Amino acid sequence: MATCDTDNVMQKARAAFASGKTRDVSFRVRQLENLLRMYEENEADLMNALYKDLRKPKPEAKLMEIEVLKSDVRTMIQNCKEWSKPQRVPKTLVTMMDTPVILQDPYGVVLVIGSWNYPVQLSLIPVSGAIAAGNCVIIKPSEIAPASSKLLEELIPRYLDSECFQVVTGGPSTVQELLKQKFDYIFFTGSTNIGKLVREAANKHLTPVTLELGGKSPVYVDESVDMTIAARRIIWGKMVNCGQTCIAPDYVLCNKSTRDRLIDKIREILIEWYGEDPQSSPDLCRIVNVRHFQRLQAMLGGSKIAIGGKVDADDLWIEPTVLIDVKPTDPVMQEEIFGPILPILEVESAYDAIQFINAREKALTIYIFSRSAKTQQAFLEETSCGSVCVNDTMMQFTVEELPFGGVGASGIGAYHGKYSFDTFTHKKSCLIRSFDKMGEALGKDRYPPYTDEKIRRLIFLLKKRQLPSFGFVPYVASFALGVASVILLRYVAKELGYEEKLSEVMG
């Protein structure tokens, strides 16, 4: 859809939301079921698009994009009705005769801007949460992954309601036009620099945002680890998608002897996985485009290459590379790498590693490799980041019960599972009262003229206290609840000097 259509796109989405169709939970479930069917019926086409964009190996495309999406949408289908129910809250003396409740209110029309590195998954996981929450969605896939973007533009209108869920394609100018519109929520995945521009545009309309950004996610390794397992897990996390993953290990912190052991293992593992000629391996992707290739190639200068280092511009190929004797001022340490280059910096202790990490922007993830519970706890307590994974890399992303998101420069907000639903849901606070005479009698002290006695009684009512729990009531006769309610009302009335009025009201 062309840039000039953004006004019409927004108008169409506004009309669709105003019609109320997305508020119907059964409609949401049907749309989610259609989305699942889209994944199942078009798996081969989706994997082919990912190969065209990134030379993504089929196992990675299937496991880290399509199967993740299927699992996510199944969660939404299974839980959408329950999550959408009003949430009852505990009552107090003040509200014991009222109904305090939280409604799960959709924001309205939301914008989801996807990223190119996982161009299907990162465009559509937020969409399922937005659908489950009852929103209309405008989806902007990344133009840097053109095959995936084009396929989504073709598929989504075939499976989802075309008024409520629209795809807009195009480059930066299209995004600029979209951001001029007044959305009710914006969900962006991409770089920190672009995220700042999205936030700035959202601020003009006070539009809430989720920003899934990135940063330099550090890995600390100490001498206590099983080095073979640690090396496998670190290098796997680095080489999946050729390092073009927001939570990929960015650099390693360890002492010199640990560094030497780690390098030896990495060298063995790379040959085991990819052979003597890794460029011919079917299990390694390519850099997404020339601009990113040139950016990564520039990072190889200034540091000593311990493993790899070969490049091929015609093939957008950068060999899996390990750098040593790296200084904080080297080019590779100035920005998120987002490629198959792993710098190793020397530190003497976990304390030094924590100091190094804390001196920099907050990371999306910190990886800790250590058998020491004390060391693990030190990182957990003394650093701030979006998430932590101990003795592995990237696996925290697969646990949808954990919120996924950054903090500070690595992002705002979180999603996955129930957190996706909550991201696109406004928690509307509601207090429903009646014209009950007893309730009015208890609350009339708020009205002028004010007196010390009225203030005393109001303080008594407002004081935070634990009321008796009636959780067993569904399993006993309702008569017991009636008796308990009368006793409680008489107690309150006696405390406030309303005993005679209570008798009159209750006959």
Side-chain angles (χ1 to χ4, degrees):
M1 193 170 291
T3 301
C4 61
D5 290 332
T6 54
D7 286 342
N8 292 333
V9 168
M10 195 66 179
Q11 187 176 9
K12 186 178 178 181
R14 284 278 174 220
F17 184 73
S19 74
K21 65 166 71 174
T22 63
R23 291 184 177 272
D24 180 355
V25 177
S26 61
F27 171 83
R28 305 179 201 179
V29 172
R30 287 195 302 273
Q31 297 302 304
L32 292 166
E33 289 171 343
N34 290 343
L35 192 59
L36 178 58
R37 190 162 55 85
M38 185 183 90
Y39 300 148
E40 292 172 340
E41 294 177 356
N42 298 277
E43 188 170 299
D45 289 340
L46 289 166
M47 288 195 291
N48 287 336
L50 291 165
Y51 186 82
K52 289 178 183 177
D53 287 330
L54 290 149
R55 292 264 294 273
K56 189 168 288 200
K58 284 188 177 181
E60 289 186 17
K62 183 170 177 61
L63 295 173
M64 305 187 77
E65 300 237 20
I66 297 167
E67 290 302 319
V68 170
L69 286 166
K70 289 179 184 177
S71 176
D72 168 74
V73 79
R74 288 188 187 110
T75 296
M76 297 299 160
I77 292 168
Q78 293 164 8
N79 295 283
C80 178
K81 290 181 181 178
E82 185 65 30
W83 291 344
S84 299
K85 291 179 181 178
Q87 177 186 342
R88 303 281 178 168
V89 299
K91 294 187 178 184
T92 66
L93 279 177
V94 176
T95 61
M96 64 182 176
M97 303 177 71
D98 306 321
T99 304
V101 66
I102 300 170
L103 300 184
Q104 314 300 326
D105 222 24
Y107 274 103
V109 178
V110 307
L111 172 64
V112 173
I113 304 175
S115 183
W116 56 262
N117 55 323
Y118 291 84
V120 179
Q121 183 222 112
L122 295 179
S123 294
L124 294 180
I125 281 189
V127 170
S128 68
I131 293 173
N135 299 278
C136 290
V137 190
I138 294 173
I139 307 159
K140 170 59 180 72
S142 175
E143 74 282 0
I144 298 176
S148 298
S149 178
K150 185 174 186 297
L151 184 60
L152 294 182
E153 184 183 24
E154 294 170 357
L155 291 178
I156 286 175
R158 284 165 41 191
Y159 288 86
L160 301 184
D161 185 287
S162 61
E163 294 178 338
C164 298
F165 312 109
Q166 302 173 71
V167 179
V168 175
T169 58
S173 62
T174 302
V175 176
Q176 291 170 6
E177 289 300 313
L178 282 169
L179 290 174
K180 291 177 183 178
Q181 303 289 340
K182 185 178 181 180
F183 287 93
D184 298 304
Y185 203 97
I186 297 174
F187 190 108
F188 168 80
T189 303
S191 71
T192 300
N193 288 336
I194 303 300
K196 290 177 181 178
L197 297 177
V198 172
R199 177 68 181 273
E200 184 180 345
N203 285 346
K204 294 177 183 177
H205 300 295
L206 297 180
T207 300
V209 299
T210 291
L211 302 178
E212 292 293 337
L213 308 177
K216 296 183 75 63
S217 296
V219 183
Y220 174 71
V221 186
D222 73 14
E223 61 278 359
S224 70
V225 303
D226 181 316
M227 191 57 74
T228 300
I229 295 175
R232 282 179 176 273
R233 292 176 178 180
I234 292 168
I235 209 65
W236 172 79
K238 187 63 175 179
M239 296 307 154
V240 161
N241 211 36
C242 209
Q244 298 166 118
T245 306
C246 61
I247 53 171
D250 194 90
Y251 62 94
V252 174
L253 298 169
C254 61
N255 62 34
K256 188 176 186 303
S257 63
T258 300
R259 181 201 74 179
D260 293 342
R261 291 169 58 213
L262 178 61
I263 288 172
D264 288 343
K265 288 297 180 183
I266 289 175
R267 187 178 287 110
E268 293 174 11
I269 291 164
L270 288 174
I271 294 172
E272 176 191 341
W273 288 354
Y274 307 121
E276 296 288 350
D277 179 19
Q279 190 171 358
S280 65
S281 169
D283 297 324
L284 280 168
C285 305
R286 294 299 185 266
I287 306 307
V288 69
N289 59 23
V290 172
R291 182 172 68 85
H292 280 282
F293 173 85
Q294 292 173 343
R295 180 184 62 82
L296 289 165
Q297 188 177 23
M299 288 184 180
L300 296 175
S303 301
K304 182 179 178 181
I305 296 174
I307 298 173
K310 296 177 182 177
V311 300
D312 183 345
D314 293 335
D315 194 27
L316 295 178
W317 163 257
I318 293 181
E319 186 179 12
T321 298
V322 177
L323 303 177
I324 59 173
D325 299 336
V326 177
K327 301 183 292 297
T329 54
D330 286 354
V332 75
M333 293 302 295
Q334 303 314 303
E335 62 177 293
E336 184 178 7
I337 295 170
F338 230 64
I341 303 169
L342 183 66
I344 302 179
L345 292 85
E346 293 178 32
V347 293
E348 292 303 316
S349 66
Y351 173 81
D352 290 339
I354 290 170
Q355 295 299 108
F356 186 91
I357 291 166
N358 287 341
R360 285 152 182 81
E361 294 282 11
K362 294 180 180 181
L364 186 53
T365 294
I366 293 177
Y367 297 112
I368 308 156
F369 283 81
S370 175
R371 295 183 191 268
S372 166
K374 182 178 179 181
T375 296
Q376 295 171 12
Q377 200 63 29
F379 277 91
L380 293 173
E381 293 180 354
E382 297 173 27
T383 61
S384 177
C385 59
S387 62
V388 174
C389 187
V390 178
N391 293 328
D392 210 334
T393 63
M394 301 209 353
M395 295 305 293
Q396 75 278 12
F397 184 90
T398 67
V399 184
E400 66 176 20
E401 292 77 17
L402 294 175
F404 179 82
V407 62
S410 61
I412 298 170
Y415 71 128
H416 284 187
K418 176 65 160 54
Y419 299 96
S420 294
F421 179 89
D422 289 342
T423 287
F424 292 104
T425 301
H426 169 60
K427 305 293 183 180
K428 184 193 286 182
S429 300
C430 298
L431 178 63
I432 302 169
R433 309 203 71 192
S434 71
F435 291 103
D436 179 84
K437 291 182 179 180
M438 187 57 202
E440 178 64 12
L442 290 175
K444 73 172 189 175
D445 285 334
R446 60 185 164 150
Y447 304 137
Y450 303 123
T451 67
D452 289 344
E453 184 59 22
K454 286 184 175 181
I455 293 171
R456 184 192 71 77
R457 290 196 291 256
L458 286 171
I459 289 172
F460 173 83
L461 284 172
L462 295 171
K463 183 178 180 181
K464 193 74 174 177
R465 53 173 59 79
Q466 186 73 42
L467 291 180
S469 172
F470 297 107
F472 61 90
V473 166
Y475 307 101
V476 297
S478 59
F479 175 77
L481 179 59
V483 171
S485 299
V486 170
I487 293 172
L488 181 59
L489 282 172
R490 289 192 180 281
Y491 165 73
V492 174
K494 182 178 180 181
E495 287 292 321
L496 298 180
Y498 290 145
E499 202 164 13
E500 291 183 7
K501 286 187 173 63
L502 178 63
S503 298
E504 293 174 8
V505 171
M506 300 183 68

